[in-house]
Amino acid sequence: MIKSTIAILAFSVAFLFAGPVSYYGELKASGNKLIGSKTGNPVQVKGVSLGWSNSTWESARFFNKTTVDAMIDGWKAEVIRTPYGQDDASNLARVKVAIDAALAKDVYVVIDWHSHNAHSQTAAATKFFSQMARDYGDKDNVIFEIYNEPTAENSGNWTNIKNYANTVVDTIRKYSDNLIIVGTPNWCQDIDVVASSPITGNNRGNIAYVLHFYAHSHNLTLGRSAGTNKVFRTAVLEVLNANLPVFVSEYGTTHSDGGCYPTQYNNCQNNYNTHNAANSDAWHAFMDENKISSVAWNINDKYEGSAFFGTVNGGTFTQTAANFTNQNMMTNSGKYIFGKLADWALTAEWRNPPPVSILSKPVAVSNMFVVNNSVVVQAFDAAELKIFNLRGSLLRKVNLEKGSHTVSLSDMPKGVYIAKISINNQMQVLNVPIK
């Protein structure tokens, strides 16, 4: 007789999924929310952005599997942004390495044409997204970001952006119906212009509109730059009230110049330490309230405040899994984002879905229970025992033959763990406190 039905019912089915994509499916614009094609419910995901892919930039060397894996496993990112910063073969190769690494980890990946003047690069962007849509457009993971940050100049106005977007969207739609996110004027600050004039037309659905902010410069409740007094909160709510979704594909906790290092420019010598936790907290609360997905800038060791590992002028960060999660090697901004993602992981739906019973008939396991920091199992057939922490990370796997077994966990740190026993595609789960 199974001893604890409650333990079975409390099992979090997140353990059946490798990552958020398997749980939510493809992201779809529905009204002013993104929904999961598998769940049919509103979805909010959070993650991090790589820097520019250009070979001359410090960030280019982070376009690799080690970095992507660390951001997902160590930082708990659910989405990785891959900015394609220069249209050439070496940049394309770097971006594809990062994309492939994200796909392998079952997280979302933003393929970003990282330009401030994309509307003047229509031919090149169309060629790029045609290839990306053919190569990756059938993957539920993929989000296409077709215009990073239109400048504040007239040439980057919404009319020009829309004309460009219509061409690129039509190209992508030949191969993929995946979510497309579109940059908005004035460095993606003037998002409210889309409320009265969204992108329309046949086969131009599944689109969200991009907002960028840097929390020290862009207070949620204060007026924006470029001569407008309309506050950010009001601008975003106008878009949501127009039943259009918003996606924050880049944000920082510092000054909008990225927190440049003290000797870089005459006009920003004091901006390295402009990490603003209070303003960042307000933005996070607002995004959570409205289920707006977000991506933090950026995975880099450039000596500037918004670079997660930019703590030393001229320093080079050694890319190992241990270093990536060592907070002593992070900037204040990096520590903040690391903590926010860790907190989010504790409550993210795909890691903590509603408790359900996963048993259609009694499992072939008798009396799985805990005694003296050990899991005791009587198995009626060959079984597999897995031990997880509460964040869903697999810590231990033990193959068991038919019969009675005592598996000691006394070498594990004090805390509560999850034990899952599987036999013939059936399973039983219970909490395991280690004292």
Side-chain angles (χ1 to χ4, degrees), residues 259-272 303-304 313-314:
C260 55
Y261 60 84
T263 60
Q264 184 178 16
Y265 305 118
N266 290 333
N267 63 347
C268 66
Q269 291 176 351
N270 299 317
N271 289 342
Y272 177 79
Y303 187 44
E304 62 182 22
N313 191 5

Side-chain angles (χ1 to χ4, degrees), residues 262-381:
T263 60
Q264 184 178 16
Y265 305 118
N266 290 333
N267 63 347
C268 66
Q269 291 176 351
N270 299 317
N271 289 342
Y272 177 79
N273 290 313
T274 50
H275 163 66
N276 193 317
N279 283 2
S280 299
D281 285 345
W283 273 106
H284 272 278
F286 177 72
M287 292 188 291
D288 291 347
E289 177 186 355
N290 293 285
K291 295 191 78 70
I292 296 173
S293 296
S294 59
V295 179
W297 181 266
N298 74 313
I299 309 166
N300 200 354
D301 59 357
K302 183 179 180 181
Y303 187 44
E304 62 182 22
S306 64
F308 298 160
F309 309 101
T311 59
V312 180
N313 191 5
T316 301
F317 175 85
T318 301
Q319 299 178 33
T320 66
N323 282 351
F324 273 117
T325 56
N326 183 346
Q327 294 190 55
N328 291 328
M329 296 186 176
M330 300 178 194
T331 61
N332 288 333
S333 181
K335 293 174 186 176
Y336 178 90
I337 301 301
F338 180 78
K340 280 293 183 183
L341 291 174
D343 290 343
W344 176 251
L346 296 175
T347 59
E349 181 186 333
W350 73 273
R351 299 181 191 270
N352 305 277
V356 296
S357 173
I358 55 171
L359 302 181
S360 57
K361 57 183 178 179
V363 70
V365 176
S366 175
N367 292 331
M368 183 168 83
F369 53 95
V370 179
V371 175
N372 295 329
N373 293 337
S374 296
V375 178
V376 179
V377 179
Q378 168 127 25
F380 294 152
D381 204 341

Side-chain angles (χ1 to χ4, degrees), residues 373-432:
N373 293 337
S374 296
V375 178
V376 179
V377 179
Q378 168 127 25
F380 294 152
D381 204 341
E384 180 183 70
L385 175 67
K386 291 182 177 180
I387 307 298
F388 300 86
N389 63 23
L390 293 181
R391 294 185 179 181
S393 299
L394 177 63
L395 304 178
R396 188 168 300 179
K397 181 171 70 173
V398 182
N399 293 319
L400 305 175
E401 297 179 352
K402 179 179 178 180
S404 298
H405 305 272
T406 299
V407 179
S408 175
L409 303 180
S410 58
D411 60 325
M412 300 179 69
K414 293 180 181 179
V416 178
Y417 300 86
I418 302 292
K420 183 180 79 171
I421 188 80
S422 302
I423 297 178
N424 297 326
N425 295 320
Q426 299 176 61
M427 61 189 73
Q428 181 189 354
V429 180
L430 84 168
N431 294 336
V432 181

Side-chain angles (χ1 to χ4, degrees), residues 34-301:
L34 300 179
I35 64 170
S37 63
K38 292 184 178 180
T39 64
N41 297 321
V43 175
Q44 181 186 15
V45 293
K46 301 185 181 186
V48 292
S49 179
L50 289 155
W52 295 74
S53 65
N54 302 20
S55 60
T56 56
W57 287 62
E58 299 89 337
S59 52
R61 68 189 192 87
F62 289 89
F63 282 72
N64 59 65
K65 186 177 186 301
T66 298
T67 297
V68 173
D69 287 353
M71 290 297 112
I72 297 166
D73 296 335
W75 283 56
K76 307 304 178 187
E78 301 167 320
V79 53
I80 303 292
R81 184 175 182 239
T82 60
Y84 181 61
Q86 186 171 318
D87 189 26
D88 60 38
S90 65
N91 277 269
L92 181 61
R94 275 188 289 277
V95 166
K96 294 190 74 170
V97 167
I99 293 170
D100 291 341
L103 295 179
K105 299 295 285 187
D106 200 32
V107 302
Y108 295 98
V109 57
V110 177
I111 302 176
D112 162 36
W113 182 264
H114 204 71
S115 170
H116 299 311
N117 298 286
H119 61 277
S120 63
Q121 303 162 339
T122 303
T126 300
K127 179 182 177 181
F128 172 75
F129 281 110
S130 177
Q131 180 177 349
M132 293 297 98
R134 281 177 290 171
D135 291 349
Y136 298 110
D138 62 337
K139 309 297 183 185
D140 287 350
N141 317 59
V142 170
I143 300 165
F144 298 104
E145 182 174 10
I146 63 175
Y147 201 149
N148 166 44
E149 282 184 348
T151 64
E153 296 145 3
N154 290 333
S155 59
N157 63 35
W158 184 231
T159 298
N160 287 339
I161 296 167
K162 280 182 68 176
N163 290 336
Y164 160 85
N166 288 338
T167 300
V168 178
V169 168
D170 290 347
T171 297
I172 293 172
R173 288 293 179 251
K174 294 177 183 178
Y175 311 102
S176 176
D177 64 357
N178 283 38
L179 178 67
I180 297 173
I181 59 178
V182 181
T184 54
N186 188 26
W187 313 96
C188 293
Q189 294 177 48
D190 294 348
I191 191 171
D192 50 309
V193 300
V194 311
S196 60
S197 182
I199 292 171
T200 59
N202 293 334
N203 209 24
R204 290 178 184 162
N206 203 20
I207 288 175
Y209 298 92
V210 171
L211 172 73
H212 288 179
F213 67 85
Y214 280 78
H216 182 77
S217 300
H218 305 140
N219 188 304
L220 176 65
T221 58
L222 295 181
R224 297 165 295 171
S225 58
T228 178
N229 290 320
K230 187 182 294 181
V231 301
F232 278 97
R233 181 184 183 91
T234 301
V236 176
L237 289 177
E238 281 189 18
V239 178
L240 297 178
N241 290 337
N243 218 25
L244 301 170
V246 173
F247 197 109
V248 176
S249 66
E250 179 180 318
Y251 75 91
T253 72
T254 66
H255 190 280
S256 58
D257 60 24
C260 55
Y261 60 84
T263 60
Q264 184 178 16
Y265 305 118
N266 290 333
N267 63 347
C268 66
Q269 291 176 351
N270 299 317
N271 289 342
Y272 177 79
N273 290 313
T274 50
H275 163 66
N276 193 317
N279 283 2
S280 299
D281 285 345
W283 273 106
H284 272 278
F286 177 72
M287 292 188 291
D288 291 347
E289 177 186 355
N290 293 285
K291 295 191 78 70
I292 296 173
S293 296
S294 59
V295 179
W297 181 266
N298 74 313
I299 309 166
N300 200 354
D301 59 357

